[in-house]
Amino acid sequence: MTVPGGPDGRAEGPGGDPGAAAHEIADAVERLVSLWSTAAQQAPVRLSPHQLRALWALDTAPETNLTGLADRLDIGLPTASRLCDRLEAAGMLERAPHPRRRRELRLRLTHHGRRVLDDVARRRVQALTGVLAAMEPVERSALVRGMKACFAAEGDPSSRPRRTP
């Protein structure tokens, strides 16, 4: 692994070419997604990726309505409605009338839904901790700095998750 230290303070090696770095990072993200998915599927309550994304969306935007959830997930209203039907039947979300707009229903995580999310987050952190423990401290520091720089370069603070998904 190459660490910062070139003449301009930037990393030398493959990280110098943004295109090559993008390919390497894409490969790493694929492996991370696999680690993430495996950890989520080890939870006692198994959720599809769409169900899990819906719960995360409701966690980050509490009491949104069906249209808002569909927009956040980039899915159609009928698909969002069926997704909510399944999550509601499983006791993970509830629909409640909006206090000021009688035609609108708000979607909220239930206590059970929040516990499921917390369990998945804990399992994912455990899996990632195992990987990070196998790295040298300087590598972990470089990874953290790199992730922070990536989000800063993205420039959209609203796109950053509040919690570990």
Side-chain angles (χ1 to χ4, degrees):
M1 176 179 145
T2 306
V3 293
D8 62 357
R10 294 182 179 222
E12 295 177 342
D17 174 16
H23 284 289
E24 288 185 40
I25 291 170
D27 289 343
V29 167
E30 287 296 325
R31 294 180 72 183
L32 182 61
V33 166
S34 177
L35 176 79
W36 230 230
S37 296
T38 300
Q41 292 308 308
Q42 291 173 349
V45 176
R46 292 207 175 155
L47 299 171
S48 73
H50 290 295
Q51 290 170 323
L52 193 53
R53 281 185 62 224
L55 291 179
W56 287 118
L58 291 173
D59 185 49
T60 58
E63 301 189 6
T64 191
N65 63 16
L66 188 63
T67 302
L69 180 64
D71 288 346
R72 288 180 66 85
L73 299 178
D74 197 26
I75 59 177
L77 280 172
T79 303
S81 182
R82 287 189 302 273
L83 182 60
C84 288
D85 290 343
R86 288 190 296 274
L87 291 170
E88 187 174 34
M92 291 187 230
L93 93 87
E94 63 185 7
R95 293 175 170 128
H98 193 283
R100 292 177 299 284
R101 290 173 263 189
R102 60 187 179 114
R103 290 187 187 180
E104 185 176 314
L105 292 176
R106 294 188 300 184
L107 305 173
R108 291 190 286 217
L109 288 180
T110 63
H111 182 67
H112 176 56
R114 184 152 319 280
R115 278 196 331 258
V116 168
L117 276 182
D118 289 345
D119 183 57
V120 169
R122 183 184 55 75
R123 289 173 186 279
R124 286 177 165 176
V125 167
Q126 277 181 322
L128 190 53
T129 298
V131 171
L132 294 173
M135 295 171 65
E136 293 295 325
V138 69
E139 293 172 324
R140 280 194 301 273
S141 294
L143 177 60
V144 170
R145 281 193 316 277
M147 295 299 292
K148 287 180 179 178
C150 184
F151 285 124
E154 181 187 33
D156 182 7
S158 67
S159 69
R160 293 182 199 143
R162 287 185 330 159
R163 300 170 30 156
T164 304

